[in-house]
């Protein structure tokens, strides 16, 4: 019975991994105070410290909530997962494009013509189906941790949600649904978006998966159907780009009609979307491609040729602008990277298998999804389009390839590349704003069952000491002092990283205590009403390392209106940065941030080089001093 085998292999996986720990209460409260003290005015810190001490006092509220949290840990596989998912994603009412959905930008493709683009799309679909088959068979090799504490096996659960999850909009909170082992009678299909129309592409016929030639021929038919102007329907995909509450309201209006309910059901149960985009007429620089992946260019371009609730949308632009848009609530960036790299390698790997044109004729033609629209829905489409356009006009994105050095140089300094880059980002922010701000760096907690992420708070006291030594014009620090501060900053960052990946960071823990107090119908504890707590969760700098081994890069938007999103991809001899901010906010500018980042990275390199030169000179002279003098012979 193969089904039993699948279950038991799954049980084996979950038995191997420990549960996420609940950190000691005192440890979290101390870390919390330490992480914010240098970011606050003294008066404010005194007030917060008193509130935190009261919360953590013996027999106090903190201890009651901690006890309940420990009970929850015993009863669940992962005590924080649902709290975190709701807080991070499902309760968030902002539109998914830019604000939530990260994208992977593929290298620009060169298509000779439309047929060429469809050939690429057919291969991409075959690659996706092969990857999905590996996931369904639970045949993906287990991931092991790299970087800090390398070699630990990691939870693979996120992979099983790649093609089976869907995020339903709700009035107050969204719902993430994951289809587990759907009945095999359900035909597997992909939704193809083309000219803002949606088509069902069945990927199997008579129990056999379509080959590349068959998929190609179906895509050709879809292209033809999409070009038929008489049958064109309103661009309903744009509704999914709206705020979540607005989209939930619009969906309620749509589902009053059976035709719409049927079309929605087909989208909600698809494997993924493939969006065939119109050429956008823009020069395909990295920055432009990043913008087009993030929001499709708005309704005038391909902004309505999407369905943002679905977890994976593969975009193939006829002008060669390609990538993936992912709904983030189901999985992290690493899963997106692994899938994208598999598909890209599949596309460039085996020669095209378009030989056998047989049995293409017998395939049932793809079907256009039908929609019934009235004046109300037309009004909603217009409003959603206006809001998407504002988002498009507001996003300030800059993709910057720092070519002077990459992680090889950093490793030569005996420093962690990730910690080094985080300190450089702090320096860049300080150069722009003269202060440090609450910073988010995602840390994977996949060492634990159903682990997702916690937060590394990179704006450490040690980072502040270092950036001051690099920028203070009134005091002159020696290179030795600066180097010491750099190493201290990198060590502090590394130590926080290790705490986070071993389940000992503070953000998930504090969230858990807050949520337990809500479940007990308590008045909100003072520690969470304190303006410091509120401000410390406004992540003005939201950062993430997303390394790739294939030429592609990931990016996302800022998480607050006055903030930056900074995604980076360190390679051996260069580092790619994708920095985003909003034009509307005059305090931020992606170009200014990049300029400061470039300067800072060069200054840190010069500092390291001067220090190594000094060190080797000293070594030489001390060796020289100990050597007996040769005779003049």
């Amino acid at each position: 019975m193969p089904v039993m085998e699948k279950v038991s292999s799954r049980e084996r996986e979950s038995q191997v991994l420990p549960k996420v720990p609940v950190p000691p209460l005192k440890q979290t409260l101390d870390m919390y105070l330490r992480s914010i003290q240098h970011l606050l005015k003294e008066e404010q810190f005194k007030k917060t410290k008193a509130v935190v001490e009261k919360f953590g006092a013996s027999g106090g509220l903190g201890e009651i909530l901690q006890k309940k949290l420990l009970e929850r840990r015993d009863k669940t596989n992962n005590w924080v997962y649902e709290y975190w998912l709701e807080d991070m994603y499902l309760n968030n009412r902002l539109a998914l494009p830019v604000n939530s959905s990260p994208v992977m930008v593929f290298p620009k493709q060169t298509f000779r013509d439309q047929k060429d683009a469809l050939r690429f799309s057919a291969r991409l679909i075959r690659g996706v189906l092969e990857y999905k088959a590996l996931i369904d068979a639970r045949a993906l090799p287990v991931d092991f941790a790299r970087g800090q504490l390398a070699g630990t096996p990691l939870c693979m659960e996120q992979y099983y949600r790649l093609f089976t999850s869907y995020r339903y909009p709700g009035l107050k909170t969204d719902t993430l649904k994951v289809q587990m082992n759907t009945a095999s009678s359900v035909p597997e299909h992909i939704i193809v978006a083309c000219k803002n129309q949606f088509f069902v592409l069945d990927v199997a016929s008579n129990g056999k998966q379509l080959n590349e030639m068959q998929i190609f021929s179906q895509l050709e038919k879809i292209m033809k159907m999409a070009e038929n102007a008489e049958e064109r329907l309103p661009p309903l995909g744009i509704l999914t780009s709206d705020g979540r509450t607005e989209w939930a309201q619009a969906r309620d209006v749509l589902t009053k009609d059976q035709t719409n309910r049927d079309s929605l059901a087909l989208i909600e149960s698809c494997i993924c979307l493939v969006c065939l985009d119109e050429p956008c007429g823009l020069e395909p620089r990295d920055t432009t491609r990043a913008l087009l992946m993030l929001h499709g260019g708005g309704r005038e371009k391909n902004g309505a040729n999407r369905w943002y609730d679905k977890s994976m949308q593969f975009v193939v632009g006829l002008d060669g602008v390609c990538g993936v848009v992912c709904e983030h609530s189901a999985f992290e960036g690493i899963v997106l990277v692994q899938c994208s790299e598999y598909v890209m390698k599949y596309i460039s790997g085996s020669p095209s298998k378009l030989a056998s044109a047989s049995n293409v004729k017998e395939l049932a033609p793809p079907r256009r999804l039908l929609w019934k629209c009235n004046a109300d829905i037309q009004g909603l489409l217009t409003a959603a389009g206006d809001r998407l356009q504002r988002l498009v006009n507001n996003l300030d994105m800059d993709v910057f390839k720092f070519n002077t050095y990459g992680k090889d140089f950093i490793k030569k300094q005996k420093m962690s590349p990730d910690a080094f880059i985080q300190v450089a980002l702090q320096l860049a922010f300080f150069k722009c704003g003269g202060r440090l701000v609450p910073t988010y760096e995602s840390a994977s907690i996949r060492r634990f069952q159903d682990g997702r992420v916690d937060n590394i708070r990179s704006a450490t006291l040690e980072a502040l000491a270092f950036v001051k030594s690099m920028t203070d014009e009134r005091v002159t620090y020696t290179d030795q002092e600066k180097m010491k501060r750099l190493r201290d900053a990198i060590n502090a960052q590394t130590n926080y990283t290790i705490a986070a990946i071993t389940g000992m960071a503070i953000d998930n823990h504090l969230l858990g205590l807050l949520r337990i107090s809500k479940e007990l119908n308590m008045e909100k504890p003072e520690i969470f009403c304190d303006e410091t707590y509120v401000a410390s969760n406004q992540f003005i700098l939201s950062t993430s390392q997303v390394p790739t081994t294939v030429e592609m890069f990931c990016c996302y938007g800022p998480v607050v209106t006055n903030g930056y999103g900074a995604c980076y991809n360190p390679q051996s001899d260069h580092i790619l940065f994708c920095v985003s901010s909003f034009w509307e906010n005059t305090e931020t500018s992606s170009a200014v941030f990049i300029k400061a980042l470039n300067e800072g990275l060069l200054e840190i390199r010069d500092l390291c080089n001067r220090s190594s030169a000094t060190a080797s000179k000293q070594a030489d002279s001390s060796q020289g001093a100990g050597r007996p003098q040769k005779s003049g012979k």
Side-chain angles (χ1 to χ4, degrees):
M1 285 175 71
V3 175
M4 289 303 291
E5 179 48 38
K6 269 187 190 171
V7 173
S8 62
S9 77
R10 191 166 171 186
E11 277 171 5
R12 271 207 304 278
E13 281 167 27
S14 63
Q15 280 162 4
V16 173
L17 297 178
K19 288 184 176 190
V20 179
V22 174
L25 180 64
K26 184 177 180 337
Q27 175 184 302
T28 290
L29 297 180
D30 290 349
M31 266 175 88
Y32 170 53
L33 289 175
R34 204 164 54 247
S35 73
I36 53 168
Q37 179 168 7
H38 53 288
L39 306 178
L40 298 175
K41 293 197 166 71
E42 200 178 337
E43 244 344 88
Q44 177 63 30
F45 178 70
K46 266 194 194 143
K47 222 178 91 183
T48 295
K49 189 167 186 263
V51 169
V52 170
E53 282 170 354
K54 183 180 153 197
F55 180 79
S58 176
L61 187 52
E63 285 189 356
I64 298 168
L65 299 176
Q66 175 79 350
K67 185 166 166 284
K68 288 286 181 200
L69 208 50
L70 289 164
E71 285 167 17
R72 179 180 165 87
R73 179 179 187 252
D74 293 339
K75 290 200 293 264
T76 53
N77 279 350
N78 183 318
W79 63 267
V80 74
Y81 180 75
E82 278 171 20
Y83 291 166
W84 172 89
L85 186 65
E86 288 165 16
D87 180 69
M88 188 72 134
Y89 296 112
L90 305 181
N91 295 342
N92 194 331
R93 303 288 79 206
L94 294 175
L96 296 184
V98 178
N99 303 305
S100 175
S101 295
V103 302
M104 186 60 70
V105 183
F106 291 168
K108 162 116 177 33
Q109 302 299 313
T110 315
F111 299 136
R112 294 185 298 274
D113 51 25
Q114 188 172 299
K115 266 192 158 55
D116 214 14
L118 294 185
R119 266 185 218 107
F120 178 89
S121 307
R123 308 214 54 196
L124 181 141
I125 290 170
R126 277 299 326 156
V128 167
L129 294 174
E130 291 220 350
Y131 195 67
K132 183 177 183 294
L134 284 176
I135 293 173
D136 291 347
R138 301 231 159 200
L140 281 183
V142 171
D143 287 343
F144 287 89
R146 280 176 271 186
Q148 300 299 334
L149 310 186
T152 321
L154 302 177
C155 176
M156 297 296 284
E157 230 17 72
Q158 295 177 36
Y159 287 95
Y160 306 124
R161 294 194 284 265
L162 258 176
F163 301 113
T164 52
S165 62
Y166 187 87
R167 179 166 167 178
Y168 290 83
L171 294 172
K172 289 204 171 74
T173 182
D174 288 1
T175 311
L176 176 65
K177 287 207 176 145
V178 183
Q179 295 165 283
M180 274 305 172
N181 304 343
T182 43
S184 50
S185 61
V186 180
E188 295 212 318
H189 64 279
I190 277 171
I191 295 290
V192 178
C194 183
K195 290 189 187 293
N196 306 338
Q197 308 292 292
F198 297 94
F199 301 87
V200 180
L201 169 63
D202 290 318
V203 295
S205 171
N206 302 326
K208 263 187 74 179
Q209 271 200 351
L210 270 51
N211 63 29
E212 212 172 296
M213 184 68 206
Q214 292 170 318
I215 294 170
F216 172 76
S217 114
Q218 296 292 68
L219 290 173
E220 278 200 312
K221 288 177 198 158
I222 285 173
M223 276 298 235
K224 247 198 192 69
M225 290 162 78
E227 272 154 18
N228 181 344
E230 281 90 83
E231 291 183 17
R232 212 165 282 165
L233 294 163
L236 281 184
I238 203 136
L239 294 175
T240 68
S241 77
D242 210 344
R244 300 309 286 170
T245 301
E246 290 83 353
W247 165 218
Q249 289 163 337
R251 193 177 176 282
D252 284 346
V253 178
L254 276 179
T255 49
K256 289 192 168 59
D257 187 284
Q258 185 61 47
T259 306
N260 297 340
R261 286 203 293 275
D262 294 345
S263 291
L264 283 168
L266 281 161
I267 297 179
E268 289 158 5
S269 61
C270 73
I271 294 171
C272 64
L273 262 88
V274 173
C275 310
L276 302 174
D277 275 10
E278 296 293 295
C280 59
L282 299 168
E283 188 204 337
R285 293 180 310 124
D286 284 353
T287 297
T288 314
R289 298 203 319 278
L291 287 165
L292 290 167
M293 281 307 123
L294 282 163
H295 53 49
R299 64 171 154 209
E300 300 309 310
K301 296 202 163 54
N302 296 293
N305 206 44
R306 300 280 184 276
W307 199 271
Y308 281 101
D309 297 352
K310 187 61 201 168
S311 48
M312 295 290 275
Q313 302 190 79
F314 294 89
V315 177
V316 180
L318 298 179
D319 53 3
V321 174
C322 304
V324 193
V325 184
C326 106
E327 197 291 292
H328 208 346
S329 67
F331 47 82
E332 299 315 322
I334 181 66
V335 176
L336 172 65
V337 171
Q338 299 281 16
C339 174
S340 304
E341 294 199 341
Y342 183 93
V343 171
M344 286 309 279
K345 284 173 185 160
Y346 179 90
I347 291 170
S348 57
S350 45
S352 199
K353 302 191 194 78
L354 289 184
S356 65
S358 65
N359 68 11
V360 162
K361 294 179 191 64
E362 299 132 50
L363 293 177
R367 316 186 289 292
R368 183 194 300 263
L369 291 186
L370 302 175
W371 304 104
K372 288 272 167 51
C373 284
N374 54 27
D376 278 1
I377 292 168
Q378 285 296 351
L380 294 169
L381 287 170
T382 306
D386 290 346
R387 282 189 284 266
L388 178 61
Q389 209 48 53
R390 277 208 290 280
L391 196 55
V392 169
N393 297 341
N394 197 8
L395 184 60
D396 171 11
M397 181 88 207
D398 208 328
V399 179
F400 163 60
K401 189 173 178 183
F402 177 75
N403 277 318
T404 312
Y405 60 87
K407 59 185 181 193
D408 287 357
F409 169 79
I410 303 170
K411 285 177 178 166
K412 275 201 187 102
Q413 314 307 314
K414 307 224 174 350
M415 295 171 184
S416 142
D418 187 67
F420 181 101
I421 293 169
Q422 283 291 331
V423 172
L425 288 166
Q426 294 299 321
L427 177 57
F429 193 94
F430 193 85
K431 279 171 174 277
C432 296
R435 62 186 180 126
L436 293 190
V437 289
T439 302
Y440 183 97
E441 183 194 358
S442 54
S444 170
I445 49 169
R446 282 175 60 207
R447 284 171 171 70
F448 305 103
Q449 282 180 50
D450 291 332
R452 288 292 297 269
V453 295
D454 204 336
N455 173 22
I456 301 165
R457 289 183 169 262
S458 308
T460 60
L461 179 60
E462 291 82 354
L464 181 60
F466 169 68
V467 303
K468 280 183 170 167
S469 75
M470 294 294 279
T471 52
D472 196 332
E473 279 160 14
R474 296 157 308 179
V475 192
T476 314
Y477 293 86
T478 65
D479 280 351
Q480 208 177 351
E481 286 169 322
K482 288 180 186 172
M483 259 332 267
K484 182 185 181 310
R485 289 182 172 206
L486 174 60
R487 292 205 181 271
D488 289 347
I490 285 175
N491 288 339
Q493 177 67 21
T494 302
N495 292 340
Y496 205 127
T497 301
I498 291 168
I501 61 182
T502 54
M504 289 290 149
I506 63 173
D507 285 72
N508 283 353
H509 190 193
L510 291 170
L511 172 67
L513 296 166
L514 168 62
R515 286 293 300 264
I516 289 278
S517 74
K518 261 192 196 152
E519 283 170 20
L520 296 172
N521 290 323
M522 288 180 174
E523 202 176 315
K524 196 180 199 175
E526 197 183 354
I527 181 174
F528 303 118
C529 303
D530 178 31
E531 62 185 284
T532 297
Y533 181 74
V534 177
S536 76
N537 281 290
Q538 292 289 306
F539 295 109
I540 293 173
L541 200 48
S542 172
T543 71
S544 187
Q545 172 179 246
V546 184
T548 60
T549 60
V550 173
E551 195 197 330
M552 53 169 80
F553 62 89
C554 178
C555 57
Y556 49 80
V559 296
V560 290
T561 50
N562 60 335
Y564 289 103
C567 190
Y568 52 96
N569 183 348
Q571 297 294 323
S572 55
D573 61 350
H574 68 272
I575 310 166
L576 195 76
F577 291 94
C578 301
V579 174
S580 59
S581 60
F582 291 121
W583 289 111
E584 272 172 16
N585 190 286
T586 51
E587 290 168 50
T588 57
S589 155
S590 299
V592 169
F593 188 91
I594 291 263
K595 185 172 174 285
L597 181 60
N598 183 48
E599 262 174 30
L601 285 163
L602 293 174
E603 286 166 9
I604 300 174
R605 175 205 59 178
D606 294 346
L607 172 64
C608 291
N609 285 344
R610 286 195 309 270
S611 300
S612 322
T614 310
S616 59
K617 245 190 219 141
Q618 283 170 345
D620 285 353
S621 63
S622 68
Q623 273 178 341
R627 266 192 219 126
Q629 292 297 314
K630 285 186 184 163
S631 65
K633 201 168 163 187

